[in-house]
Amino acid sequence: IQQLLSENLEARGSFHSLLSNQLSCLLERYREEKAEALEEKTSECCDLGKQVQEQATEIDKIKAENKQLQQSLVVAEDNIRQLENDKDILDRQVIDSQSEIDAKNKELADKEVELTQEKDKFKILQVKCYSSNARFSEYIGMYIWLGGISV
């Protein structure tokens, strides 16, 4: 029994030693695989980090462009408001000018009516004058005919 026990212990020791060696090998292989996997993941993370950084830089550029566009939009909106104000001012000036033109046209029309009336009066006076001259010539002719001129 002692010999069996001793062989058993010896076998167990060999088994433990063998098992320990296999476990060490497996553990070493596991560590190597995990180290390779970690290295791959680290490389992938670095690549993703670079991509994220590039995208962040691109986003910053887009934000800067967006800010410039927004500022340009504000300036354009201010310009539009100023143009609308200028248009309103010009519209009022046109209305005022049109009112002045209408008033001047009415004044001219009134003066034209006055002038036409004055022309008509002048024609009447002219006719009266011709008529008076004709009668005066007639009177002189009769006076001469009657021998009324004495020297």
Side-chain angles (χ1 to χ4, degrees):
I1 292 184
Q2 278 253 338
Q3 189 178 352
L4 281 174
L5 279 176
S6 153
E7 286 175 6
N8 189 3
L9 273 176
E10 206 178 284
R12 275 187 181 178
S14 293
F15 177 74
H16 278 289
S17 178
L18 182 64
L19 188 61
S20 179
N21 283 341
Q22 283 183 343
L23 282 175
S24 291
C25 286
L26 284 174
L27 185 61
E28 185 63 31
R29 195 177 335 155
Y30 177 76
R31 285 182 183 155
E32 286 174 2
E33 287 175 2
K34 286 298 177 183
E36 288 175 8
L38 182 62
E39 192 176 308
E40 278 182 35
K41 292 295 180 188
T42 303
S43 176
E44 287 176 13
C45 285
C46 287
D47 291 345
L48 286 175
K50 288 177 185 176
Q51 289 176 0
V52 166
Q53 185 62 38
E54 289 171 0
Q55 289 175 351
T57 303
E58 193 65 30
I59 287 171
D60 289 342
K61 287 179 185 177
I62 291 170
K63 283 181 180 178
E65 288 175 9
N66 189 23
K67 187 175 181 180
Q68 286 178 339
L69 289 173
Q70 286 175 340
Q71 290 172 343
S72 296
L73 179 63
V74 168
V75 169
E77 287 172 344
D78 287 344
N79 288 342
I80 288 170
R81 277 191 291 281
Q82 184 61 43
L83 288 172
E84 287 173 346
N85 289 340
D86 291 348
K87 181 190 173 291
D88 291 342
I89 290 169
L90 289 174
D91 286 346
R92 283 192 296 275
Q93 288 176 347
V94 165
I95 289 169
D96 292 346
S97 296
Q98 188 61 47
S99 297
E100 287 179 28
I101 289 170
D102 291 345
K104 292 285 184 186
N105 283 342
K106 185 179 180 330
E107 189 179 315
L108 283 173
D110 291 346
K111 288 193 182 217
E112 191 175 340
V113 167
E114 259 182 61
L115 184 62
T116 302
Q117 289 172 350
E118 289 296 319
K119 279 183 182 178
D120 291 345
K121 286 180 186 176
F122 178 74
K123 285 180 183 178
I124 290 170
L125 286 175
Q126 198 176 22
V127 166
K128 284 182 180 178
C129 187
Y130 285 138
S131 176
S132 295
N133 282 343
R135 270 189 256 133
F136 181 71
S137 293
E138 214 175 276
Y139 290 139
I140 289 191
M142 286 177 73
Y143 184 69
I144 293 174
W145 184 73
L146 294 173
I149 294 185
S150 61
V151 184

